[in-house]
Amino acid sequence: MSSHTMQNPQHSAPPKQRSRFGQLLRELWFQVLLGGVLGILVGFLLPSVGQQLTPLSDWFIALVKMIIILVVFCVVTLGVASMDSLPKAGRIGIKALGYFIVLSLISMLIGLVVANVFHPGDGMNIDVSKLNGDKIPGAGKSFDGLEFVTSLIPTSFFGALTGSAIPAALLVSIVFGAALNLSGESGAVLTSGIRALSTVVFRIVGWLMRLAPFGTFGALAAVVAKYGFISLQQLGYLILLFTLTCIVYVLVVLGIIAKSCGLNIFTVMRYFKDELLIALATCSSEAVLPQVMKKLENMGVGKPTVGIVIPSAFSFNLDGSAIYLTMASVFLAQAVGIHLSREQQLAMVGIMMISSKGTAGVTGGAFIVLAGSLGAVSGIPTAALALIVGVDRLLNEGRVFINVIGNVLAAVVIGKWERDFDPEQARKTLHASGQKKPAIESKTPASVEADKVEVH
């Protein structure tokens, strides 16, 4: 027997298969998925235990939010400071704002059309007087434009960096980055310091992402334990209709946008699968903001574009929430027997377009906007929100999914528009993400060290 034959048993398939499974266990997306499955089982089989696990999700989100403002400051400041010309920052901001408005309008109109065509609330004949609206989040509040603009201006420079408001941090970061850009050699030392800080910050992000499976486990265990399948039975048609609308929106609207940029929507979702799973489990798009920014840079979108578009998009470009707002409004009107004219519905869209920007970064912001906007034009009593407050957490799944993937494509679109996007690198990176080896990453100055901590 030859030596080659003698050595074959040492290289048999089972060890390789075990090795592949071991690699799978080290993948963040698989850990998150496993945590979700275990959470669902615990919530269903041991509801009393599941209801006590909410803090796991709350703690994870709180830890990520702890670092978000620093991520925004580092990325935005470095992006603006490294620009060849400051007018480019203004162009990116204006183009991003225009894109956000168009997509939000399209999303709201889609929700409006679906609700009017399929009539999810017809036949419910709800008596509003029997609903208790005292504990509805956002009840009695209305949009105050002056208050919103005031909230964008922090009370102090460092207050913006120690607070939790992304819009205020974004404003300070842009101003500080512009000052560094114009300071020449004097600002170079500070720029280098912020670049070093960015490396440290993204290392912390890498550590925090390893806790995502625990956050997922706690979130889904608590949701299943609290709601079970009762809510699905009560408002199943609305949940099903909203879910299907979200799926069609991703495949058609976002699919067309991805195609126009030379990308495939399924490949993009696969590349961001970790972030999408975490966002779905925790119902928080902010929880994945740092990783989304880093992965977009790796994908070939320029740092200036990522730095300006993504923080503002996660505050102002909430397309999933836009679909929800109009669909839920019409559903509630149908449920309580109120007829909304075409003019009333369009006026409602206009009000929600503005007021939805006033809850940027607020947990459950879409529901608060809905509560504050219902009576403005439609005349729908706020108490009607009691019908969907119990299933808002379930409806939030579709909202955060679209918000995350929609913001990713927003950065790509603006990057391509500004010629700050490398489609060849994007194709290589997206292709590599589906292979055994890690994705090809761009070595931008602020991400060379940060790339080392990317969780796989």
Side-chain angles (χ1 to χ4, degrees), residues 119 232 319 421 430:
H119 302 278
L232 289 174
D319 298 334
F421 170 61
L430 294 175

Side-chain angles (χ1 to χ4, degrees), residues 34-376:
L34 186 61
V37 171
L38 292 176
I40 291 172
L41 289 176
V42 169
F44 183 72
L45 300 175
L46 302 169
S48 60
V49 176
Q51 290 184 12
Q52 305 302 316
L53 296 177
T54 303
L56 288 179
S57 175
D58 295 340
W59 292 339
F60 170 69
I61 295 174
L63 284 170
V64 176
K65 286 187 174 182
M66 169 190 74
I67 203 72
I68 282 178
I69 299 299
L70 269 180
V71 170
V72 171
F73 175 73
C74 291
V75 174
V76 175
T77 300
L78 288 175
V80 176
S82 62
M83 284 183 175
D84 296 332
S85 63
L86 287 181
K88 181 178 180 180
R91 286 202 314 271
I92 292 175
I94 292 173
K95 290 177 179 178
L97 182 60
Y99 178 87
F100 298 161
I101 292 173
V102 171
L103 263 291
S104 294
L105 182 60
I106 291 174
S107 303
M108 285 190 172
L109 292 177
I110 287 174
L112 208 61
V113 170
V114 170
N116 279 283
V117 170
F118 293 97
H119 302 278
D122 277 3
M124 295 186 72
N125 301 317
I126 301 296
D127 184 356
V128 183
S129 63
K130 295 181 179 180
L131 297 175
N132 181 13
D134 294 339
K135 297 183 179 180
I136 294 174
K141 295 182 179 179
S142 59
F143 176 69
D144 187 333
L146 183 61
E147 182 181 348
F148 168 56
V149 174
T150 303
S151 69
L152 296 179
I153 306 173
T155 54
S156 68
F157 180 89
F158 290 105
L161 303 183
T162 57
S164 59
I166 292 179
L170 181 63
L171 175 63
V172 166
S173 302
I174 291 174
V175 172
F176 195 70
L180 287 178
N181 188 293
L182 297 173
S183 298
E185 292 297 325
S186 301
V189 177
L190 277 177
T191 302
S192 299
I194 296 173
R195 186 172 288 112
L197 176 63
S198 176
T199 300
V200 175
V201 167
F202 274 105
R203 185 173 296 276
I204 295 173
V205 169
W207 293 341
L208 295 181
M209 285 300 105
R210 296 182 186 277
L211 300 176
F214 298 100
T216 300
F217 172 73
L220 293 184
V223 168
V224 173
K226 183 175 181 180
Y227 299 119
F229 298 101
I230 297 178
S231 295
L232 289 174
Q233 293 171 358
Q234 291 176 337
L235 296 167
Y237 186 35
L238 174 64
I239 295 171
L240 178 63
L241 186 61
F242 180 71
T243 301
L244 291 176
T245 303
C246 290
I247 292 173
V248 172
Y249 183 89
V250 170
L251 297 181
V252 178
V253 178
L254 298 185
I256 291 174
I257 293 173
K259 186 71 174 178
S260 67
C261 296
L263 306 176
N264 181 286
I265 187 63
F266 295 104
T267 310
V268 173
M269 289 191 291
R270 182 182 64 192
Y271 179 59
F272 287 95
K273 61 180 178 294
D274 293 353
E275 291 70 32
L276 290 171
L277 285 171
I278 293 170
L280 281 172
T282 61
C283 275
S284 172
S285 54
E286 283 188 354
V288 297
L289 185 148
Q291 287 293 91
V292 166
M293 295 175 77
K294 184 154 67 70
K295 279 193 170 184
L296 278 168
E297 287 185 34
N298 295 339
M299 208 177 87
V301 183
K303 183 180 291 295
T305 300
V306 171
I308 294 175
V309 174
I310 290 299
S312 55
F314 272 79
S315 295
F316 302 118
N317 185 45
L318 308 177
D319 298 334
S321 299
I323 296 173
Y324 162 84
L325 287 173
T326 49
M327 184 179 291
S329 297
V330 177
F331 165 79
L332 292 174
Q334 293 168 349
V336 299
I338 294 177
H339 173 72
L340 295 178
S341 67
R342 185 175 303 175
E343 291 74 17
Q344 284 179 308
Q345 293 187 32
L346 292 178
M348 186 172 61
V349 168
I351 290 175
M352 289 180 172
M353 275 284 291
I354 299 173
S355 58
S356 61
K357 311 309 179 189
T359 55
V362 178
T363 302
F367 193 84
I368 293 174
V369 171
L370 188 61
S373 304
L374 277 184

